[in-house]
Amino acid sequence: MVRTVETPVEVARADRRPNDAWSVMERFYAAEAEYVAAGGYGKADYGQVAAHLDPEVVLYQAPGLPFTGTGAWRGRDGMERFLAVFSETWESMEFLEQEHWGDGNTVVVRNRVRFRARATGREVEALILQLITVRDGRMLECRPFYWDPAAVTEACATSTGA
C-alpha cells in the first residue's frame, strides 16, 4: 500500500484551518475514525492519519485495555501498529461530544466516544481525557486516560474470562 504524507502546510491549506493543537486534533480524529471504519491496517489509507503525526510521535497507553500493547507506541510506524490493533478491536467509533482547553501547542481534550467492538458487536460509551502536544502542526505526544477502562474491556470480551 502506498502512503502519502502531506506537510502541515499542505494539510492546513487543504482544510483552510490553522495548525494549533485543537485544529490538528480535529483533523486527526476525523482521519482516525475513517481509518477504523474502513477496517484499519491493509484496508484503509494510513496516509490520511500519518499526515497529522510528527515523525517522533509517541502515544502512551495505560496497560490493561485490549488494545494498549506495551503502553508506548513510537513514531508513525508505531502509531500504525497501534491503529492496526485498535481497528481489530473496534468496528466503529463515533465522537459524541468533545470539549477542549489549551494553547497553541498543547490541548486537553475530553471526548465522549461510542465504540462498537468487532468481536462482540457490543457498544460502549467511554469518557476519555487526552493530554496532547503538537509540534509544527502535527501531533507529537498523546496521553489518553479512560474514565472506565473496565467497561471498555467488557465490551470487547468474548467470554467472561477474557
Side-chain angles (χ1 to χ4, degrees):
M1 177 183 294
V2 175
R3 294 187 253 169
T4 58
V5 179
E6 300 167 324
T7 68
V9 172
E10 290 170 327
V11 171
R13 189 177 300 131
D15 289 342
R16 303 228 186 273
R17 293 191 283 185
N19 277 328
D20 61 278
W22 174 241
S23 296
V24 169
M25 291 314 298
E26 279 185 300
R27 293 189 295 270
F28 173 81
Y29 290 138
E32 178 186 38
E34 185 176 315
Y35 182 85
V36 169
Y41 186 77
K43 298 175 185 160
D45 179 11
Y46 181 67
Q48 296 301 314
V49 175
H52 308 293
L53 302 174
D54 187 274
E56 297 176 6
V57 65
V58 181
L59 170 65
Y60 295 99
Q61 288 279 359
L65 292 170
F67 48 84
T68 56
T70 61
W73 304 81
R74 298 180 184 282
R76 289 183 179 140
D77 289 342
M79 284 292 289
E80 186 172 25
R81 287 190 305 276
F82 165 76
L83 285 173
V85 174
F86 191 81
S87 61
E88 287 174 12
T89 304
W90 302 114
E91 178 179 312
S92 66
M93 60 188 292
E94 177 186 359
F95 292 95
L96 303 172
E97 183 182 330
Q98 292 180 304
E99 294 179 88
H100 60 92
W101 305 268
D103 62 24
N105 295 320
T106 304
V107 65
V108 174
V109 183
R110 183 189 153 292
N111 292 299
R112 188 166 63 89
V113 183
R114 179 182 300 129
F115 294 105
R116 182 179 306 114
R118 241 178 240 293
T120 66
R122 287 188 217 128
E123 291 187 346
V124 62
E125 285 188 19
L127 287 176
I128 307 164
L129 187 68
Q130 295 176 310
L131 174 60
I132 299 150
T133 56
V134 168
R135 177 171 67 188
D136 298 327
R138 294 183 181 180
M139 182 177 25
L140 176 63
E141 183 178 288
C142 181
R143 293 179 182 266
F145 301 91
Y146 288 77
W147 180 256
D148 189 354
V152 171
T153 300
E154 184 179 323
C156 300
T158 55
S159 69
T160 56

